[in-house]
Amino acid sequence: MNTEPGILAIWHDCAAGSEDTFEHWYQSEHLVERVSVPGFRYGRRYEAISGDRQYFTYYEVDAPDVLTTGAYVDRLNDPTPLTNQIMSGIFVRPSRTACRRTHRAGSIDGSFAVTAVAVGSAELNAWHQQLITMPLSAGVANVQTWSAVDGASDVGSREQQLRGGDETIAGCAFVSVLREQDADAIKTWMIEAGFVPERIGIYQLLCHLNTDSL
């Protein structure tokens, strides 16, 4: 397997009126189910303060190859009854991309995240060059770049069919910060550095689960 960590990056909305069902599914079943797959390290779920979609979730895995293993693909192709319900109209406007982490600076995690979605490789490369030179202020926990991995975003799985297909991205600039005002400052820095404002989101952490907690 590739030694670089893999990232499964997901943005989506929840159908209006189905929030309680969605939260029950996510907290009682889905997060534990995903993180228990061999090779998954942890999952972190956020809610938007500002952004194109209501929720942002990412999972870190040992390597991008984990997202194409039989154990994970079998899980995607055998959804539970509740997952069938959620994926058939409650989990909406999905953007889902398997990535490789190509840069990380900083060793802790904060309570807020700023994400900037890149739609092309040239754009992602330009943003990556900006991130690797960004000074780490006191409010910044870590800075990462994620690059999409071809053929690893579960094309054709049963869950994807239930959702009606997913958007994918070229990659993402991700900055974890301590406080909301730090997130605002990073968003301002990104805009001044040439990042596309409409594709920048600020998210607050809702929950985190790693394999040691299972």
Side-chain angles (χ1 to χ4, degrees):
M1 285 189 175
N2 194 302
T3 58
E4 296 173 330
I7 299 288
L8 181 59
I10 303 165
W11 293 260
H12 68 93
D13 288 334
C14 176
S18 299
E19 292 83 3
D20 288 348
T21 302
F22 177 80
E23 292 296 339
H24 170 71
W25 167 75
Y26 200 92
Q27 296 175 35
S28 69
E29 177 180 296
H30 185 67
L31 185 57
V32 171
E33 181 190 75
R34 286 301 189 256
V35 175
S36 65
V37 172
F40 274 63
R41 297 177 177 178
Y42 62 80
R44 292 174 68 85
R45 178 180 172 231
Y46 298 77
E47 187 170 24
I49 294 173
S50 64
D52 179 56
R53 285 172 171 83
Q54 184 178 1
Y55 295 107
F56 161 62
T57 302
Y58 81 92
Y59 299 92
E60 183 175 297
V61 298
D62 291 340
D65 313 64
V66 169
L67 301 172
T68 58
T69 59
Y72 182 55
V73 173
D74 288 348
R75 186 72 51 87
L76 296 174
N77 284 323
D78 187 24
T80 68
L82 188 52
T83 297
N84 268 284
Q85 178 185 356
I86 296 295
M87 294 296 170
S88 300
I90 294 177
F91 189 104
V92 295
R93 296 185 67 227
S95 170
R96 182 187 181 285
T97 305
C99 300
R100 175 177 291 108
R101 192 174 74 197
T102 55
H103 170 69
R104 175 167 177 152
S107 58
I108 63 174
D109 293 301
S111 297
F112 295 84
V114 185
T115 67
V117 171
V119 297
S121 57
E123 182 177 62
L124 179 64
N125 290 336
W127 293 1
H128 173 76
Q129 294 304 315
Q130 294 283 356
L131 286 183
I132 62 177
T133 61
M134 187 181 80
L136 297 183
S137 65
V140 175
N142 71 74
V143 177
Q144 303 182 40
T145 306
W146 305 336
S147 180
V149 176
D150 291 340
S153 295
D154 92 344
V155 176
S157 75
R158 178 57 182 160
E159 286 191 13
Q160 190 181 63
Q161 292 170 6
L162 290 168
R163 292 191 298 268
D166 302 324
E167 291 184 11
T168 57
I169 61 174
C172 178
F174 171 92
V175 183
S176 176
V177 298
L178 304 186
R179 300 175 178 85
E180 187 174 349
Q181 58 263 38
D182 301 318
D184 291 335
I186 291 299
K187 181 176 180 179
T188 298
W189 178 88
M190 284 181 167
I191 293 171
E192 292 174 349
F195 290 61
V196 179
E198 293 78 12
R199 289 191 259 116
I200 301 173
I202 296 177
Y203 295 87
Q204 183 171 10
L205 181 67
L206 293 178
C207 58
H208 169 97
L209 181 67
N210 58 31
T211 54
D212 294 336
S213 302
L214 298 175

